[in-house]
């Protein structure tokens, strides 16, 4: 794979077989950035935001999901602001007048932080990690969903899957990943309904993904559980002849998809089995 010099977004409709969820183009500058939500522009809130942004950028650059729980992070968070090269805000209620005397400093803002490789790479090294600078693979998502008597394979066109496709795309952005979804025709031609997907070999899904213009497949099974009060999500991804399997239980589908993308990044960046 090429170095992380760019991640050009693939336009919707250019692929004959897959509809591509658009994500931002990526540059080295994009990679070394992160964002969070803060309640106003007060210094205390900014410092808390810097801590969250540091966690996010370390995972974004390395793909290693284990970094935020390392004990060394406590001391690093205490000086999180020192790693920030620049930052800016965007009012999340921009254009909406204030309803009281709180003023704009109490309104929710996106806090955007920019970092330099010269500052972040040594931090990664101190944590036993490294930058993941090869171009991020495009993942074709093959997902079987089941809730009560309703079950289907997620595709690029069905209105039932619109929110799930959007959620998957949102989950991919923080890790500079790209996701795609098969069309109904693609699934039909391969004989893959939701039941067949559950038993499909990853080699078959990887081949199908590559023929359609993606790099490899990410398989998922999403089953609603009344007992768990949420979804049970099982994920599979193959790399270097090994199939990795991971699971999350009792969550909303937004979190299920975040777990999917984080796990995929963990594997593809060479950091091993998702936890």
């Amino acid at each position: 794979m090429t170095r992380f010099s760019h991640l050009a977004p693939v336009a919707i409709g250019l692929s004959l077989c897959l509809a591509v969820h658009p994500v931002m183009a990526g540059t080295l500058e994009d990679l070394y950035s992160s964002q969070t939500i803060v309640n106003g522009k007060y210094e205390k809130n900014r410092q808390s935001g810097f801590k969250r942004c540091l966690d996010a950028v370390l995972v974004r650059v390395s793909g290693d999901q284990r970094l935020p729980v390392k004990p060394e992070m406590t001391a690093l968070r205490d000086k999180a602001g020192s790693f920030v090269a620049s930052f800016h805000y965007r009012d999340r209620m921009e254009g909406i007048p204030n309803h009281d005397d709180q003023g704009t400093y109490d309104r929710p803002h996106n806090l955007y932080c920019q970092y330099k490789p010269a500052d972040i790479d040594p931090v990664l090294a101190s944590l036993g990690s490294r930058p993941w600078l090869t171009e991020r693979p495009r993942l074709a998502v093959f997902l079987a969903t089941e809730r009560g008597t309703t079950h289907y394979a997620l595709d690029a066109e069905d209105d039932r899957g619109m929110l799930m496709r959007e959620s998957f795309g949102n989950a991919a952005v923080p890790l500079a990943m790209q996701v795609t979804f098969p069309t109904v025709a693609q699934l039909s031609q391969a004989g893959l309904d939701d039941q067949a997907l559950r038993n499909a070999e990853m080699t078959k899904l990887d081949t199908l993904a590559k023929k359609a213009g993606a790099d490899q497949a990410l398989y998922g099974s999403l089953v609603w559980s009344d007992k768990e009060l949420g979804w049970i999500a099982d994920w599979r991804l193959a790399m270097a002849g090994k199939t990795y399997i991971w699971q999350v239980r009792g969550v909303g589908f937004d979190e299920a998809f975040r777990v999917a993308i984080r796990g995929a990044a963990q594997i593809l960046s060479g950091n091993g089995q998702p936890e």
Side-chain angles (χ1 to χ4, degrees):
M1 290 205 172
T2 60
R3 296 278 293 180
F4 196 105
S5 58
H6 67 282
L7 278 175
V10 184
I12 293 178
L14 289 183
S15 170
L16 296 178
C17 299
L18 286 176
V20 179
H21 192 291
V23 299
M24 66 178 187
T27 64
L28 197 63
E29 183 177 1
D30 290 329
L31 184 64
Y32 284 81
S33 66
S34 61
Q35 61 176 285
T36 190
I37 299 173
V38 294
N39 186 26
K41 296 182 178 180
Y42 294 111
E43 176 67 19
K44 179 179 70 174
N45 295 338
R46 182 185 307 143
Q47 294 304 320
S48 296
F50 284 163
K51 293 178 181 180
R52 295 192 297 274
C53 280
L54 178 62
D55 283 11
V57 75
L58 293 175
V59 172
R60 179 177 172 86
V61 172
S62 69
D64 191 346
Q65 313 305 302
R66 300 166 297 183
L67 298 185
V69 299
K70 290 201 169 189
E72 298 94 328
M73 286 301 302
T74 300
L76 289 170
R77 291 188 189 102
D78 286 342
K79 53 181 180 180
S82 68
F83 302 112
V84 178
S86 62
F87 67 91
H88 68 276
Y89 292 98
R90 183 179 68 82
D91 187 346
R92 292 176 61 86
M93 299 175 65
E94 189 175 19
I96 302 175
N98 292 333
H99 297 296
D100 49 38
D101 294 329
Q102 286 182 318
T104 58
Y105 269 61
D106 287 319
R107 292 154 66 100
H109 287 69
N110 285 350
L111 171 63
Y112 299 91
C113 291
Q114 187 65 52
Y115 302 86
K116 295 180 179 179
D119 296 324
I120 292 301
D121 291 357
V123 175
L124 289 174
S126 74
L127 295 169
S129 188
R130 64 195 184 286
W132 175 26
L133 296 181
T134 54
E135 191 170 349
R136 307 286 159 98
R138 289 171 293 183
L139 297 177
V141 178
F142 296 89
L143 178 66
T145 68
E146 178 182 336
R147 183 167 187 170
T149 59
T150 301
H151 55 90
Y152 58 94
L154 182 65
D155 64 63
E157 302 144 324
D158 195 324
D159 289 343
R160 293 175 299 180
M162 181 177 63
L163 292 179
M164 287 190 176
R165 293 191 298 270
E166 181 180 350
S167 177
F168 235 124
N170 291 337
V173 169
L175 285 161
M177 301 284 283
Q178 300 180 67
V179 292
T180 70
F181 304 94
T183 65
V184 173
Q186 179 75 21
L187 291 170
S188 178
Q189 290 168 7
L192 293 174
D193 59 13
D194 61 297
Q195 295 301 317
L197 270 179
R198 298 178 190 278
N199 300 313
E201 296 288 339
M202 288 305 300
T203 51
K204 177 179 180 178
L205 297 182
D206 278 340
T207 298
L208 188 60
K210 290 174 182 176
K211 286 181 179 179
D215 295 302
Q216 64 186 102
L218 170 64
Y219 165 78
S221 169
L222 197 62
V223 179
W224 177 262
S225 169
D226 289 332
K227 181 180 179 181
E228 299 278 355
L229 298 178
W231 296 97
I232 299 173
D234 292 277
W235 304 104
R236 297 201 311 257
L237 186 143
M239 181 179 179
K242 178 179 178 179
T243 297
Y244 293 83
I245 301 172
W246 65 106
Q247 184 189 76
V248 64
R249 305 174 69 90
V251 298
F253 65 71
D254 289 330
E255 178 61 15
F257 299 157
R258 285 191 288 264
V259 168
I261 293 296
R262 289 196 297 257
Q266 179 86 8
I267 296 162
L268 295 168
S269 62
N271 285 298
Q273 175 68 41
E275 299 177 356

